[in-house]
């Protein structure tokens, strides 16, 4: 655990494909966001949730619930900016690590692996099996003003496009063991949620 890194769970999406509040969908008998919290909380000093809906269901986890500081449902980058602005107020915090609420197999060594290749102004993004996962990243808090200007410009809300301006590095991850799911498996739809249930039934936590 690093006292310089805060964490943010991105739960601010509209969940159209899931047909409801995706973070609260049950997976192995518990809300999916609870599982994600359990995997990332031990890795960071402070943790918050980025959510733009009713905060009440999220407050029960005892974490700050942060709505986007920029309106218009601009996507994950708006959530990252919100988290960076929150983290900037925390003593000693220099970086924010973000994770999606639909990644129930998030690596337990995510922050340690990111930290090993991070730097003062370096963005680190996750990659597995050749696929990039731009919403799972390590963000220098010092870049928050640049990100705010980018979002205000309205050029594009794609995470990778903005990150590319800062020469990011990628951290490669593998499944925990043979037959295990991709560490960044997304449970975006009811079918994928059912698939995650199968993985958990087969391999446990």
């Amino acid at each position: 655990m690093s006292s310089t890194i805060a964490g943010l769970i991105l739960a601010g999406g509209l969940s159209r494909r899931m047909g409801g509040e995706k973070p609260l969908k049950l997976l192995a008998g518990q809300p999916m966001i609870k599982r994600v919290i359990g995997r990332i909380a031990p890795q960071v000093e402070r943790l918050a949730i980025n959510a733009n809906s009713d905060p009440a269901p999220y407050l029960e986890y005892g974490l700050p619930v942060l709505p986007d500081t920029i309106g218009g449902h601009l996507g994950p980058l708006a959530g990252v900016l919100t988290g960076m602005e929150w983290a900037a107020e925390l003593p000693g915090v220099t970086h924010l690590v973000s994770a999606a609420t639909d990644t129930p197999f998030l690596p337990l060594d995510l922050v340690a692996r990111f930290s090993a290749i991070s730097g003062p102004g370096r963005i680190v993004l996750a990659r597995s099996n050749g696929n990039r996962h731009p919403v799972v990243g390590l963000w220098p808090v010092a870049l928050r003003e640049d990100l705010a200007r980018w979002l205000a410009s309205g050029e594009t809300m794609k995470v990778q496009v903005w990150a590319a301006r800062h020469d990011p590095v990628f951290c490669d991850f593998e499944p925990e063991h043979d037959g295990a799911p991709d560490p960044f498996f997304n449970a975006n739809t009811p079918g994928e949620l059912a698939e995650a249930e199968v993985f958990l039934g087969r391999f446990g936590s």
Side-chain angles (χ1 to χ4, degrees):
M1 181 169 60
S2 173
S3 61
T4 64
I5 299 176
L8 183 75
I9 297 175
L10 296 166
L14 299 176
S15 304
R16 291 190 182 97
R17 285 185 288 172
M18 188 63 85
E21 198 92 357
K22 179 168 56 177
L24 305 178
K25 295 291 184 180
L26 295 183
L27 176 60
Q30 65 180 8
M32 185 156 50
I33 192 171
K34 184 176 181 179
R35 177 175 172 82
V36 175
I37 289 171
R39 294 182 78 83
I40 195 171
Q43 303 185 53
V44 294
E45 183 71 18
R46 297 282 298 276
L47 182 63
I49 299 169
N50 166 233
N52 292 306
S53 57
D54 179 4
Y58 302 107
L59 289 171
E60 68 176 77
Y61 298 108
L63 301 172
V65 179
L66 313 173
D68 287 350
T69 54
I70 295 179
H73 292 285
L74 300 183
L77 270 182
V80 170
L81 174 61
T82 299
M84 291 166 78
E85 291 176 339
W86 163 74
E89 301 298 321
L90 303 176
V93 172
T94 59
H95 289 73
L96 176 81
V97 64
S98 63
T101 189
D102 58 3
T103 52
F105 306 106
L106 198 71
L108 298 174
D109 60 351
L110 180 75
V111 175
R113 295 277 306 281
F114 278 175
S115 297
I117 58 174
S118 71
R122 175 177 286 174
I123 294 172
V124 183
L125 301 177
R127 185 169 59 190
S128 62
N129 196 31
N131 297 314
R132 298 175 177 184
H133 308 283
V135 300
V136 183
L138 183 69
W139 314 94
V141 171
L143 294 179
R144 64 191 183 281
E145 292 181 3
D146 181 83
L147 178 52
R149 287 192 295 268
W150 177 265
L151 290 172
S153 75
E155 288 200 31
T156 176
M157 300 302 114
K158 291 185 177 180
V159 177
Q160 290 191 82
V161 176
W162 176 73
R165 300 175 70 245
H166 299 281
D167 194 24
V169 296
F170 291 88
C171 188
D172 289 292
F173 292 83
E174 303 291 337
E176 289 183 0
H177 48 76
D178 288 344
D182 186 288
F184 304 106
F185 175 94
N186 291 115
N188 265 319
T189 67
E192 289 165 347
L193 191 65
E195 192 176 349
E197 289 271 7
V198 171
F199 279 127
L200 284 173
R202 188 180 302 162
F203 300 110
S205 61

